[in-house]
Amino acid sequence: MAKYILKRVGYIVLSLFLIISATFFIMRAAPGSPFASERKMTPALEAQMEEAYGLNDPIHEQYITYVVNALTFDFGPSFKFVGQDVMDIILRSFPYSLVLGLEAVFIALGLGVLFGVFAALKHNRFGDYTAMVIAVLGISVPSFIMATILQYIFAIKLEMFSVARMESFSDTILPALALATTPLAFIARLMRSSMLDVLSSDYIKTARSKGMSQRVVTYKHGLRNAMLPVISYMGPLVAGILTGSFIIEQIFGIPGLGSEFVTSITNRDYTVIMGTTVFYSVLLLVSILIVDLIYGLVDPRIKIAAKGGEK
């Protein structure tokens, strides 16, 4: 186990190095200057600002400095917000995105697994068709469209929630639902298919022949094995929720990391763009590692550390 984790951590470090390098050169290749949008800034003052931020240094010196600092999560100061470091902006906004993302993951997993199991148990009956129609609609409707529908129904018409505010837990319910809709539908379809395969397996038939009740067969013997494909989907699920939060946070006025990222693109704030990209990359790589470890714990047949260090 320890050898496997160390090997994966090495892959994470290598991946981060490649992501940091690619992000740096893409930002440097982008046309214009981060100070070009300042209307009152004279060319002389713009050159002075570039000198102050080290943008006039040779490209290889800028690259080495940035890589060394980024590996210690020092992304430098923001180009647009005077006196603020990029890491301060990330730490200030990330808790909002974390709360929203966790809510969306719990909603997607909880309801997705529930609908999938229900559809499998009601196979080729009304309950199965209803759950799958809902799942197809959830996959077909983009999250930003779902966000506007939820705002119109529950915030404007029913006045149950605020349209765009982040002051209490209730203000996170609509954006979390909008963010969870697509992965919820995908999990429901995945769970239904996996559950049908498990329920038709030989060991399930043996359990039923021994006189075990449907509840014991379904939840004690079937559900655990049927969850394996869903656990595999957890890595892409986290990625989808994190990237989907960019738009959702803008629509609902949530001051999260996704909103800061969109604002930094508009402002050409290169250090914030690079910092948030690297930060999100760390989250995704670590989440994929955690999912792999959980997969091995849930299914004892899968060995995390086999002979020769292979999985």
Side-chain angles (χ1 to χ4, degrees):
M1 174 71 77
K3 186 177 181 180
Y4 172 77
I5 294 176
L6 289 175
K7 184 178 180 180
R8 290 296 301 272
V9 169
Y11 287 146
I12 289 175
V13 173
L14 178 60
S15 300
L16 279 179
F17 173 74
L18 296 176
I19 291 171
I20 290 171
S21 300
T23 305
F24 174 84
F25 288 110
I26 290 174
M27 288 295 99
R28 289 297 181 269
S33 165
F35 310 109
S37 60
E38 301 292 342
R39 296 180 180 179
K40 298 181 180 179
M41 183 173 291
T42 63
L45 184 57
E46 182 178 341
Q48 186 177 4
M49 292 291 293
E50 291 180 352
E51 181 68 28
Y53 283 100
L55 299 179
N56 292 331
D57 295 339
I59 190 68
H60 67 278
E61 292 184 7
Q62 294 184 46
Y63 171 69
I64 294 173
T65 301
Y66 180 75
V67 170
V68 172
N69 291 338
L71 290 176
T72 60
F73 291 95
D74 179 11
F75 303 110
S78 168
F79 287 162
K80 295 296 180 180
F81 299 101
V82 180
Q84 295 190 40
D85 287 337
V86 174
M87 202 61 199
D88 293 335
I89 296 175
I90 292 175
L91 295 178
R92 179 187 67 208
S93 56
F94 178 65
Y96 295 101
S97 298
L98 179 63
V99 171
L100 180 61
L102 289 177
E103 283 187 50
V105 168
F106 288 141
I107 292 172
L109 277 178
L111 295 182
V113 170
L114 179 63
F115 287 164
V117 172
F118 177 78
L121 295 178
K122 303 295 182 181
H123 183 48
N124 288 336
R125 287 184 281 178
F126 178 76
D128 182 16
Y129 300 143
T130 303
M132 288 304 99
V133 167
I134 295 175
V136 170
L137 289 175
I139 294 175
S140 303
V141 179
S143 59
F144 61 90
I145 298 296
M146 182 59 65
T148 57
I149 294 174
L150 292 175
Q151 282 180 324
Y152 179 76
I153 296 175
F154 294 101
I156 297 176
K157 289 298 184 181
L158 300 180
E159 297 182 354
M160 296 174 59
F161 302 98
S162 61
V163 176
R165 189 177 61 186
M166 189 64 173
E167 297 179 359
S168 62
F169 176 77
S170 62
D171 296 328
T172 66
I173 294 177
L174 289 185
L177 284 173
L179 197 56
T181 301
T182 300
L184 186 157
F186 190 86
I187 289 174
R189 291 177 60 87
L190 188 63
M191 192 67 193
R192 173 185 178 273
S193 176
S194 178
M195 197 70 180
L196 288 175
D197 289 340
V198 170
L199 292 178
S200 62
S201 59
D202 292 337
Y203 75 93
I204 292 293
K205 295 177 182 178
T206 302
R208 285 173 176 166
S209 66
K210 292 181 178 179
M212 294 185 180
S213 64
Q214 180 66 30
R215 178 178 298 181
V216 173
V217 171
T218 301
Y219 297 105
K220 184 176 180 180
H221 297 283
L223 186 60
R224 181 173 180 175
N225 289 327
M227 282 290 295
L228 295 177
V230 176
I231 294 174
S232 299
Y233 176 61
M234 284 297 295
L237 171 63
V238 173
I241 285 180
L242 287 177
T243 54
S245 66
F246 294 172
I247 301 174
I248 298 299
E249 288 178 8
Q250 286 285 315
I251 293 175
F252 286 94
I254 298 174
L257 192 54
S259 179
E260 293 285 356
F261 183 76
V262 174
T263 302
S264 66
I265 295 176
T266 304
N267 291 335
R268 287 175 172 266
D269 199 344
Y270 294 163
T271 53
V272 177
I273 295 173
M274 293 188 290
T276 51
T277 301
V278 174
F279 187 77
Y280 270 126
S281 300
V282 172
L283 292 179
L284 296 180
L285 291 171
V286 172
S287 65
I288 292 173
L289 172 60
I290 293 174
V291 167
D292 287 346
L293 295 177
I294 293 175
Y295 199 91
L297 293 175
V298 171
D299 190 354
R301 295 171 300 178
I302 299 176
K303 301 298 182 182
I304 292 295
K307 184 178 181 180
E310 296 181 356
K311 189 174 177 181

